[in-house]
Amino acid sequence: MAVEIITREDLNEFRNVLLNDLKELLQAKVPQSKKWLRSSEVRKLLNISPGTLQNLRINGTLSYTKVGGTMYYDFQDIEQLLNGNKVNALPNLFK
């Protein structure tokens, strides 16, 4: 049985290699959002009630597609809705 001695330098090198591998894995795993979301997913994402979601559909604020009895919403439409209603903070408030 051969005996191998592990030095601090070996451990530091292993730690650096491991950290670099983990960073690459985390950067490669950009969260992919689904193209189409169901009503329950949209309500959870926006933290709104079923009635509020229905109002957004009725007044034309949020477009949807109905297949059978299921409503689907395009994720890009939701992002546009949020970006279109964005209110910029006044810089004077934080000085």
Side-chain angles (χ1 to χ4, degrees):
M1 180 175 174
V3 176
E4 291 186 33
I5 298 176
I6 300 175
T7 63
R8 286 185 187 258
E9 291 81 20
D10 292 335
L11 289 174
N12 279 332
E13 183 181 340
F14 173 73
R15 179 180 64 92
N16 290 333
V17 170
L18 183 61
L19 284 174
N20 288 334
D21 289 346
L22 288 173
K23 285 179 186 177
E24 287 177 17
L25 284 173
L26 291 175
Q27 289 174 354
K29 290 235 174 180
V30 175
Q32 292 288 333
S33 57
K34 292 168 44 175
K35 169 109 173 103
W36 294 99
L37 302 173
R38 292 175 176 234
S39 295
S40 60
E41 295 168 323
V42 174
R43 289 195 321 264
K44 191 180 294 184
L45 179 67
L46 299 177
N47 195 25
I48 59 174
S49 68
T52 302
L53 184 57
Q54 182 178 5
N55 285 335
L56 292 175
R57 282 194 314 265
I58 290 171
N59 65 22
T61 304
L62 186 59
S63 59
Y64 64 95
T65 300
K66 186 173 183 180
V67 178
T70 307
M71 309 268 194
Y72 294 96
Y73 305 85
D74 191 345
F75 186 77
Q76 289 181 348
D77 290 342
I78 296 169
E79 282 185 327
Q80 288 175 357
L81 174 67
L82 292 174
N83 288 327
N85 291 313
K86 185 188 290 187
V87 177
N88 292 325
L90 298 174
N92 299 348
L93 295 175
F94 300 108
K95 288 185 178 181

